[in-house]
Coordinates of all heavy atoms in Angstrom, one line a residue:
V33 N -14.2 5.9 -4.1 CA -14.5 4.5 -4.2 C -16.0 4.3 -4.6 O -16.2 3.5 -5.5 CB -14.2 3.7 -3.0 CG1 -14.5 2.2 -3.2 CG2 -12.7 3.8 -2.5
L34 N -16.8 5.1 -4.0 CA -18.2 5.0 -4.3 C -18.6 5.4 -5.8 O -19.5 5.0 -6.4 CB -19.0 5.9 -3.3 CG -19.0 5.5 -1.9 CD1 -19.8 6.5 -1.0 CD2 -19.6 4.1 -1.7
M35 N -17.6 6.2 -6.4 CA -17.9 6.7 -7.8 C -17.5 5.6 -8.8 O -17.7 5.8 -10.0 CB -17.2 8.0 -8.0 CG -15.7 7.8 -8.3 SD -14.9 9.4 -8.8 CE -13.2 8.9 -9.0
Q36 N -16.9 4.5 -8.3 CA -16.4 3.6 -9.4 C -17.5 2.9 -10.0 O -18.5 2.5 -9.4 CB -15.6 2.5 -8.6 CG -14.2 2.9 -8.0 CD -13.3 3.5 -9.1 OE1 -13.0 2.7 -10.0 NE2 -12.9 4.7 -8.9
V37 N -17.4 2.7 -11.3 CA -18.4 2.0 -12.2 C -17.7 0.7 -12.6 O -16.7 0.7 -13.3 CB -18.7 2.8 -13.5 CG1 -19.7 2.0 -14.3 CG2 -19.2 4.1 -13.1
C38 N -18.2 -0.4 -12.1 CA -17.5 -1.6 -12.2 C -18.5 -2.8 -12.4 O -19.6 -2.7 -11.8 CB -16.5 -1.9 -11.0 SG -15.5 -3.3 -11.2
Q39 N -18.2 -3.8 -13.2 CA -19.1 -4.9 -13.4 C -19.2 -5.8 -12.2 O -20.1 -6.6 -12.0 CB -18.7 -5.7 -14.6 CG -18.8 -4.9 -15.9 CD -18.3 -5.6 -17.1 OE1 -17.8 -6.7 -17.0 NE2 -18.4 -5.1 -18.3
M40 N -18.1 -5.8 -11.4 CA -18.1 -6.7 -10.2 C -18.6 -5.8 -9.0 O -18.4 -4.7 -8.9 CB -16.7 -7.2 -9.9 CG -16.1 -8.1 -10.9 SD -14.5 -8.7 -10.5 CE -15.0 -9.9 -9.1
P41 N -19.2 -6.5 -8.0 CA -19.6 -5.9 -6.7 C -18.3 -5.3 -6.0 O -17.3 -6.0 -6.0 CB -20.3 -6.9 -6.0 CG -20.0 -8.2 -6.5 CD -19.6 -7.9 -7.9
I42 N -18.5 -4.2 -5.3 CA -17.4 -3.6 -4.5 C -17.8 -3.5 -3.1 O -18.9 -3.0 -2.8 CB -17.0 -2.2 -5.1 CG1 -16.6 -2.4 -6.6 CG2 -15.9 -1.6 -4.3 CD1 -16.4 -1.0 -7.2
R43 N -16.9 -3.8 -2.2 CA -17.2 -3.7 -0.7 C -16.0 -3.0 -0.1 O -14.8 -3.4 -0.4 CB -17.5 -5.1 -0.1 CG -17.7 -4.9 1.4 CD -17.9 -6.3 2.1 NE -19.1 -6.9 1.5 CZ -19.5 -8.1 1.9 NH1 -18.8 -8.8 2.7 NH2 -20.6 -8.6 1.4
L44 N -16.3 -1.9 0.6 CA -15.3 -1.1 1.3 C -15.1 -1.7 2.7 O -16.1 -1.8 3.5 CB -15.7 0.3 1.4 CG -15.6 1.2 0.1 CD1 -16.7 0.9 -0.8 CD2 -15.7 2.6 0.5
Y45 N -13.8 -1.9 3.0 CA -13.5 -2.3 4.3 C -12.6 -1.3 5.0 O -11.4 -1.0 4.5 CB -12.7 -3.7 4.3 CG -13.4 -4.9 3.9 CD1 -13.7 -5.1 2.6 CD2 -13.8 -5.9 4.7 CE1 -14.5 -6.1 2.1 CE2 -14.5 -7.0 4.3 CZ -14.8 -7.1 3.0 OH -15.5 -8.2 2.6
I46 N -13.1 -0.6 6.0 CA -12.5 0.6 6.6 C -12.1 0.2 8.0 O -12.9 -0.2 8.8 CB -13.5 1.8 6.7 CG1 -13.9 2.1 5.2 CG2 -12.7 3.0 7.2 CD1 -14.8 3.4 5.1
G47 N -10.8 0.3 8.2 CA -10.2 0.0 9.6 C -9.9 1.4 10.3 O -9.0 2.0 9.9
N48 N -10.9 1.9 11.2 CA -10.5 3.1 11.9 C -9.8 2.7 13.2 O -10.3 2.1 14.1 CB -11.9 3.7 12.3 CG -11.6 4.9 13.2 OD1 -10.7 5.6 13.0 ND2 -12.5 5.0 14.3
D49 N -8.5 3.1 13.1 CA -7.5 2.7 14.2 C -7.6 3.5 15.4 O -6.6 4.2 15.9 CB -6.1 2.6 13.5 CG -5.2 1.8 14.4 OD1 -5.7 0.9 15.1 OD2 -4.0 1.8 14.2
C50 N -8.8 3.6 16.0 CA -9.0 4.4 17.3 C -8.6 5.8 17.1 O -7.9 6.4 18.0 CB -8.1 3.7 18.3 SG -8.7 4.1 20.0
S51 N -9.2 6.5 16.1 CA -8.9 7.9 15.9 C -9.5 8.7 17.0 O -10.5 8.3 17.6 CB -9.7 8.2 14.5 OG -9.1 7.6 13.5
T52 N -8.8 9.8 17.2 CA -9.3 10.7 18.3 C -10.0 12.0 17.7 O -10.3 12.8 18.5 CB -8.1 11.1 19.1 OG1 -7.1 11.8 18.3 CG2 -7.4 9.9 19.8
D53 N -10.0 12.0 16.4 CA -10.8 13.2 15.8 C -12.1 12.7 15.3 O -12.8 11.7 15.8 CB -10.0 13.8 14.7 CG -9.7 12.8 13.6 OD1 -10.2 11.7 13.6 OD2 -8.9 13.2 12.6
N54 N -12.7 13.3 14.2 CA -13.9 13.0 13.8 C -13.9 11.8 12.6 O -15.0 11.6 12.0 CB -14.7 14.2 13.1 CG -15.2 15.1 14.3 OD1 -15.5 14.8 15.4 ND2 -14.9 16.4 14.0
T55 N -12.8 11.2 12.5 CA -12.8 10.2 11.5 C -13.8 9.1 11.6 O -14.5 8.7 10.7 CB -11.4 9.6 11.4 OG1 -10.3 10.5 11.1 CG2 -11.3 8.4 10.4
A56 N -14.0 8.6 12.8 CA -14.9 7.6 13.1 C -16.4 7.9 12.7 O -17.1 7.2 12.1 CB -14.8 7.1 14.5
T57 N -16.7 9.2 13.1 CA -18.1 9.7 12.8 C -18.3 9.8 11.3 O -19.4 9.4 10.9 CB -18.2 11.1 13.5 OG1 -18.0 11.0 14.8 CG2 -19.6 11.7 13.1
I58 N -17.4 10.2 10.6 CA -17.5 10.3 9.1 C -17.7 9.0 8.6 O -18.6 8.7 7.7 CB -16.3 11.2 8.6 CG1 -16.2 12.6 9.1 CG2 -16.4 11.2 7.1 CD1 -15.0 13.3 8.7
C59 N -16.8 8.1 8.9 CA -17.0 6.8 8.4 C -18.3 6.1 8.6 O -18.9 5.3 7.8 CB -15.8 5.9 8.9 SG -14.1 6.3 8.3
M60 N -18.8 6.2 9.9 CA -20.0 5.6 10.2 C -21.2 6.2 9.6 O -22.2 5.6 9.3 CB -20.2 5.7 11.8 CG -19.2 4.8 12.5 SD -19.1 3.2 12.1 CE -20.7 2.6 12.4
Q61 N -21.1 7.5 9.2 CA -22.2 8.2 8.4 C -22.3 7.6 7.1 O -23.4 7.3 6.6 CB -21.9 9.8 8.4 CG -22.2 10.4 9.7 CD -21.8 11.9 9.7 OE1 -21.1 12.3 8.8 NE2 -22.3 12.6 10.6
Y62 N -21.1 7.4 6.5 CA -21.1 6.7 5.2 C -21.6 5.3 5.2 O -22.4 4.9 4.4 CB -19.8 6.7 4.6 CG -19.4 8.0 3.8 CD1 -18.7 9.0 4.4 CD2 -19.8 8.2 2.5 CE1 -18.3 10.2 3.7 CE2 -19.5 9.4 1.8 CZ -18.8 10.4 2.4 OH -18.5 11.6 1.7
A63 N -21.2 4.6 6.2 CA -21.7 3.2 6.4 C -23.2 3.1 6.6 O -23.8 2.1 6.1 CB -20.9 2.5 7.5
S64 N -23.7 4.0 7.2 CA -25.2 4.0 7.5 C -26.0 4.2 6.2 O -27.1 3.8 6.1 CB -25.6 5.1 8.5 OG -25.4 6.4 8.0
Q65 N -25.4 4.9 5.3 CA -26.0 5.2 4.0 C -25.7 4.3 2.8 O -26.4 4.1 1.9 CB -25.7 6.6 3.5 CG -26.1 7.7 4.5 CD -25.4 9.0 4.2 OE1 -25.0 9.3 3.0 NE2 -25.5 9.9 5.2
H66 N -24.5 3.4 3.0 CA -24.1 2.5 1.9 C -23.9 1.1 2.5 O -22.9 0.9 3.2 CB -22.9 3.0 1.4 CG -23.0 4.4 0.7 ND1 -23.5 4.6 -0.6 CD2 -22.8 5.7 1.2 CE1 -23.5 5.9 -0.8 NE2 -23.1 6.5 0.2
P67 N -24.7 0.2 2.2 CA -24.6 -1.2 2.7 C -23.3 -1.9 2.4 O -23.0 -2.9 2.9 CB -25.8 -1.9 2.3 CG -26.3 -1.1 1.0 CD -25.9 0.3 1.3
N68 N -22.7 -1.4 1.3 CA -21.4 -2.1 0.9 C -20.2 -1.4 1.7 O -19.1 -1.8 1.3 CB -21.2 -1.9 -0.6 CG -21.0 -0.4 -1.0 OD1 -21.6 0.4 -0.4 ND2 -20.2 -0.3 -2.1
I69 N -20.4 -0.7 2.7 CA -19.3 -0.2 3.5 C -19.3 -0.9 4.8 O -20.4 -0.8 5.6 CB -19.3 1.3 3.7 CG1 -19.3 2.1 2.3 CG2 -18.3 1.8 4.7 CD1 -19.3 3.6 2.4
Q70 N -18.2 -1.5 5.2 CA -18.0 -2.1 6.6 C -16.9 -1.4 7.3 O -15.9 -1.3 6.8 CB -17.6 -3.6 6.4 CG -17.4 -4.4 7.7 CD -18.7 -4.5 8.5 OE1 -19.8 -4.9 8.0 NE2 -18.6 -4.1 9.8
V71 N -17.3 -0.8 8.4 CA -16.3 -0.1 9.3 C -15.9 -1.0 10.5 O -16.8 -1.5 11.2 CB -16.9 1.2 9.8 CG1 -15.9 1.9 10.6 CG2 -17.3 2.1 8.5
Y72 N -14.6 -1.1 10.7 CA -14.1 -1.9 11.8 C -13.4 -0.8 12.7 O -12.4 -0.2 12.4 CB -13.1 -2.9 11.4 CG -13.6 -4.0 10.5 CD1 -13.7 -3.7 9.1 CD2 -14.1 -5.1 11.0 CE1 -14.3 -4.7 8.3 CE2 -14.7 -6.2 10.2 CZ -14.8 -5.9 8.9 OH -15.3 -6.9 8.1
S73 N -14.1 -0.6 13.9 CA -13.6 0.4 14.8 C -12.8 -0.3 15.9 O -13.2 -1.1 16.6 CB -14.7 1.1 15.5 OG -15.6 1.9 14.5
R74 N -11.4 0.0 15.8 CA -10.5 -0.6 16.7 C -10.7 -0.1 18.2 O -10.7 1.2 18.3 CB -9.1 -0.4 16.4 CG -8.8 -0.8 14.9 CD -9.2 -2.2 14.5 NE -8.9 -2.4 13.1 CZ -9.4 -3.4 12.4 NH1 -10.2 -4.3 13.0 NH2 -9.0 -3.6 11.1
E75 N -10.7 -0.9 19.2 CA -10.8 -0.3 20.6 C -9.6 0.2 21.0 O -9.5 0.9 22.0 CB -11.3 -1.5 21.4 CG -12.7 -2.1 21.1 CD -13.2 -3.2 22.1 OE1 -12.3 -3.6 23.0 OE2 -14.3 -3.7 21.9
K76 N -8.4 -0.2 20.5 CA -7.1 0.4 20.8 C -6.4 0.6 19.5 O -6.7 -0.1 18.5 CB -6.3 -0.4 21.8 CG -5.9 -1.8 21.3 CD -5.1 -2.6 22.3 CE -4.7 -3.8 21.8 NZ -3.8 -4.6 22.8
N77 N -5.4 1.5 19.6 CA -4.6 1.8 18.4 C -3.7 0.6 18.0 O -2.8 0.3 18.8 CB -3.8 3.0 18.5 CG -3.0 3.4 17.3 OD1 -1.9 3.0 17.1 ND2 -3.7 4.2 16.4
L78 N -3.9 -0.1 16.9 CA -3.1 -1.2 16.4 C -1.9 -0.8 15.7 O -0.9 -1.6 15.7 CB -4.0 -2.2 15.6 CG -5.3 -2.7 16.1 CD1 -5.9 -3.5 15.1 CD2 -5.1 -3.5 17.4
G79 N -1.9 0.3 15.1 CA -0.7 0.7 14.2 C -1.1 0.3 12.7 O -2.0 -0.6 12.6
L80 N -0.5 0.9 11.8 CA -0.8 0.8 10.4 C -0.7 -0.6 9.9 O -1.6 -1.2 9.3 CB 0.1 1.6 9.6 CG -0.1 1.5 8.0 CD1 -1.5 1.9 7.6 CD2 1.0 2.3 7.3
T81 N 0.3 -1.4 10.3 CA 0.5 -2.8 9.9 C -0.6 -3.7 10.3 O -1.2 -4.4 9.6 CB 1.9 -3.2 10.2 OG1 2.9 -2.5 9.6 CG2 2.1 -4.7 9.9
A82 N -0.8 -3.7 11.6 CA -1.8 -4.7 12.2 C -3.2 -4.3 11.8 O -4.0 -5.2 11.4 CB -1.8 -4.6 13.8
N83 N -3.5 -3.1 11.7 CA -4.8 -2.5 11.2 C -5.0 -3.1 9.8 O -6.2 -3.6 9.5 CB -4.9 -1.1 11.3 CG -6.3 -0.5 10.9 OD1 -7.3 -1.2 11.1 ND2 -6.3 0.7 10.6
T84 N -4.1 -2.8 8.9 CA -4.2 -3.2 7.4 C -4.3 -4.7 7.4 O -5.2 -5.3 6.6 CB -3.0 -2.8 6.7 OG1 -2.9 -1.3 6.8 CG2 -3.1 -3.1 5.2
I85 N -3.5 -5.5 8.1 CA -3.6 -7.0 8.0 C -4.9 -7.5 8.4 O -5.4 -8.4 7.9 CB -2.4 -7.6 8.8 CG1 -1.1 -7.4 8.1 CG2 -2.6 -9.0 9.1 CD1 0.2 -7.8 8.8
A86 N -5.4 -6.9 9.5 CA -6.7 -7.4 10.0 C -7.8 -7.1 8.9 O -8.7 -8.1 8.6 CB -7.1 -6.5 11.2
L87 N -7.7 -6.0 8.1 CA -8.6 -5.9 7.0 C -8.5 -6.9 5.9 O -9.4 -7.4 5.4 CB -8.5 -4.5 6.5 CG -8.9 -3.3 7.4 CD1 -8.5 -2.0 6.8 CD2 -10.4 -3.3 7.7
L88 N -7.1 -7.1 5.6 CA -6.8 -8.0 4.5 C -7.4 -9.4 4.9 O -8.0 -10.2 4.0 CB -5.4 -8.2 4.3 CG -4.7 -6.9 3.7 CD1 -3.2 -7.1 3.6 CD2 -5.3 -6.6 2.3
Q89 N -7.3 -9.8 6.2 CA -7.8 -11.2 6.6 C -9.3 -11.2 6.5 O -9.9 -12.3 6.1 CB -7.3 -11.5 8.0 CG -5.8 -11.7 8.0 CD -5.2 -11.8 9.4 OE1 -5.7 -11.2 10.4 NE2 -4.1 -12.5 9.6
E90 N -10.0 -10.1 6.8 CA -11.4 -10.1 6.7 C -11.8 -10.2 5.3 O -12.7 -10.9 4.9 CB -12.0 -8.8 7.2 CG -12.0 -8.6 8.7 CD -12.9 -9.6 9.5 OE1 -13.9 -10.0 8.8 OE2 -12.6 -9.9 10.6
M91 N -11.2 -9.6 4.4 CA -11.5 -9.7 2.9 C -11.3 -11.1 2.4 O -12.1 -11.6 1.6 CB -10.7 -8.6 2.1 CG -11.2 -7.2 2.3 SD -10.3 -6.1 1.3 CE -9.0 -5.6 2.5
R92 N -10.2 -11.7 2.9 CA -9.9 -13.1 2.4 C -11.0 -14.0 2.9 O -11.5 -14.9 2.2 CB -8.5 -13.5 2.9 CG -8.1 -14.8 2.4 CD -7.9 -14.7 0.8 NE -7.3 -16.0 0.3 CZ -7.9 -16.6 -0.8 NH1 -9.0 -16.1 -1.3 NH2 -7.3 -17.7 -1.3
K93 N -11.4 -13.8 4.2 CA -12.4 -14.7 4.8 C -13.8 -14.5 4.1 O -14.5 -15.4 4.0 CB -12.5 -14.3 6.3 CG -13.5 -15.2 7.1 CD -13.5 -14.8 8.5 CE -14.1 -13.4 8.7 NZ -14.2 -13.0 10.2
D94 N -14.0 -13.4 3.6 CA -15.3 -13.0 3.0 C -15.4 -13.5 1.5 O -16.4 -13.4 0.8 CB -15.7 -11.5 3.1 CG -16.0 -11.1 4.5 OD1 -16.3 -12.0 5.3 OD2 -16.1 -9.8 4.7
G95 N -14.2 -14.0 1.0 CA -14.2 -14.5 -0.3 C -14.0 -13.5 -1.4 O -14.4 -13.7 -2.6
C96 N -13.4 -12.3 -1.0 CA -13.1 -11.3 -2.1 C -12.1 -12.0 -3.1 O -11.1 -12.6 -2.7 CB -12.5 -10.1 -1.4 SG -13.6 -9.1 -0.5
E97 N -12.3 -11.8 -4.5 CA -11.6 -12.3 -5.4 C -10.3 -11.4 -5.7 O -9.3 -11.8 -6.0 CB -12.3 -12.5 -6.7 CG -11.5 -13.1 -7.9 CD -12.3 -13.5 -9.1 OE1 -13.6 -13.2 -9.1 OE2 -11.8 -14.1 -10.0
Y98 N -10.6 -10.1 -5.6 CA -9.6 -9.1 -5.8 C -9.6 -8.0 -4.6 O -10.5 -7.9 -3.9 CB -9.8 -8.3 -7.0 CG -9.9 -9.1 -8.3 CD1 -11.0 -9.6 -8.9 CD2 -8.7 -9.5 -8.9 CE1 -11.1 -10.3 -10.0 CE2 -8.8 -10.3 -10.1 CZ -10.0 -10.7 -10.7 OH -10.0 -11.5 -11.8
I99 N -8.4 -7.6 -4.4 CA -8.2 -6.5 -3.3 C -7.5 -5.3 -3.9 O -6.6 -5.4 -4.5 CB -7.4 -7.1 -2.1 CG1 -8.2 -8.2 -1.4 CG2 -7.1 -6.0 -1.1 CD1 -7.5 -8.9 -0.3
A100 N -8.1 -4.1 -3.6 CA -7.6 -2.9 -4.0 C -7.1 -2.1 -2.7 O -7.9 -2.1 -1.8 CB -8.6 -2.1 -4.8
M101 N -6.0 -1.5 -2.8 CA -5.4 -0.8 -1.6 C -5.7 0.7 -1.8 O -5.5 1.3 -2.9 CB -3.9 -1.1 -1.5 CG -3.5 -2.6 -1.5 SD -4.3 -3.4 0.0 CE -3.3 -2.6 1.3
L102 N -6.0 1.3 -0.7 CA -6.2 2.8 -0.6 C -6.1 3.3 0.7 O -6.9 3.0 1.6 CB -7.6 3.1 -1.2 CG -8.0 4.6 -1.3 CD1 -7.0 5.4 -2.3 CD2 -9.4 4.7 -1.8
D103 N -5.1 4.1 1.0 CA -4.9 4.7 2.3 C -5.9 5.9 2.5 O -6.4 6.5 1.6 CB -3.6 5.3 2.5 CG -2.5 4.1 2.4 OD1 -2.8 3.0 2.9 OD2 -1.4 4.4 1.9
G104 N -6.3 6.1 3.8 CA -7.4 6.9 4.2 C -7.2 8.5 3.8 O -8.0 9.2 3.7
D105 N -5.9 8.8 3.4 CA -5.6 10.2 3.1 C -5.4 10.3 1.6 O -5.1 11.4 1.1 CB -4.4 10.8 3.8 CG -3.2 9.8 3.7 OD1 -3.3 8.7 3.2 OD2 -2.1 10.4 4.2
D106 N -5.6 9.2 0.8 CA -5.4 9.3 -0.6 C -6.8 9.1 -1.3 O -7.7 8.8 -0.6 CB -4.4 8.3 -1.1 CG -3.0 8.3 -0.5 OD1 -2.6 9.5 -0.3 OD2 -2.4 7.4 -0.3
Y107 N -6.8 9.3 -2.6 CA -8.1 9.1 -3.3 C -7.9 8.7 -4.7 O -6.8 9.0 -5.3 CB -8.9 10.3 -3.2 CG -8.5 11.5 -3.7 CD1 -8.8 12.0 -5.0 CD2 -7.5 12.3 -3.0 CE1 -8.3 13.3 -5.5 CE2 -7.1 13.5 -3.5 CZ -7.5 13.9 -4.8 OH -6.9 15.1 -5.4

Side-chain angles (χ1 to χ4, degrees):
V33 181
L34 294 175
M35 76 173 181
Q36 292 298 304
V37 179
C38 190
Q39 295 175 358
M40 296 186 69
I42 301 169
R43 181 178 296 174
L44 287 71
Y45 292 75
I46 303 176
N48 171 42
D49 201 15
C50 200
S51 296
T52 58
D53 61 3
N54 290 320
T55 298
T57 301
I58 296 170
C59 290
M60 294 307 298
Q61 287 175 343
Y62 274 98
S64 67
Q65 299 170 18
H66 300 275
N68 63 329
I69 297 179
Q70 178 67 52
V71 179
Y72 297 87
S73 298
R74 313 303 184 193
E75 295 183 358
K76 64 177 182 179
N77 185 268
L78 301 180
L80 177 61
T81 297
N83 186 24
T84 302
I85 287 176
L87 293 175
L88 294 175
Q89 291 172 331
E90 287 293 334
M91 285 182 269
R92 189 67 177 127
K93 183 177 67 176
D94 288 349
C96 292
E97 186 176 357
Y98 301 97
I99 293 175
M101 305 300 289
L102 181 61
D103 295 325
D105 55 347
D106 300 328
Y107 61 98

